[in-house]
Amino acid sequence: MIVPRRTALRSLFALAVTAFTGGALARIGTTGRDRPTGSGPLAAGPGPGPAAAVGVAFDEMYAGRRIQGRPGPGGEPLALVDGRPLHLMRCADGGYVTPIDHYESCPTPLAAVRAAVDELGSAPLSRLAAAHGAHPGGSPRGVHA
């Protein structure tokens, strides 16, 4: 029996798409567990987990300000500038941004906090920088009237 050329090509294409999709999904499923733990002065400590991978433990003086970072609930980093909380947001590219500078994605929480301090200059950090998107009046959308 002779298989028409169009049917053979469709079958090969379907097989290739299935193989590549399966390989990609298998890689996505294991990426979080196979990530190496951090090392060096920024490491959060030994062991697996997102906090160890991104190296969020730091406590230093930078540009005349004390900046601190540590793993928070669920492995999300917590950052403080002169004792005031600074909200860190994770980007799609794996980096971090702060409410001080939404446009520069930094590779680590430490780099994001340093960039925020650079942008602040001598200005104090606002108490609202810890609750990005929340209005003091309770507006759920963060709309400022």
Side-chain angles (χ1 to χ4, degrees), residues 32-33 35-58 69-78 88 90 94 96 107-110:
R33 291 187 301 250
R35 195 179 282 170
T37 60
S39 62
L42 297 179
V54 296
V56 296
F58 54 90
R70 63 182 180 274
E76 292 297 318
L78 295 176
L88 291 171
R90 190 71 185 235
Y96 294 86
T108 65
L110 176 60

Side-chain angles (χ1 to χ4, degrees), residues 13-80:
F13 178 74
L15 182 63
V17 168
T18 303
F20 285 120
T21 303
L25 290 176
R27 183 171 181 218
I28 289 170
T30 61
T31 299
R33 291 187 301 250
D34 294 342
R35 195 179 282 170
T37 60
S39 62
L42 297 179
V54 296
V56 296
F58 54 90
D59 186 354
E60 67 180 42
M61 291 298 292
Y62 179 77
R65 296 179 183 251
R66 183 174 186 194
I67 60 174
Q68 299 171 294
R70 63 182 180 274
E76 292 297 318
L78 295 176
L80 299 171

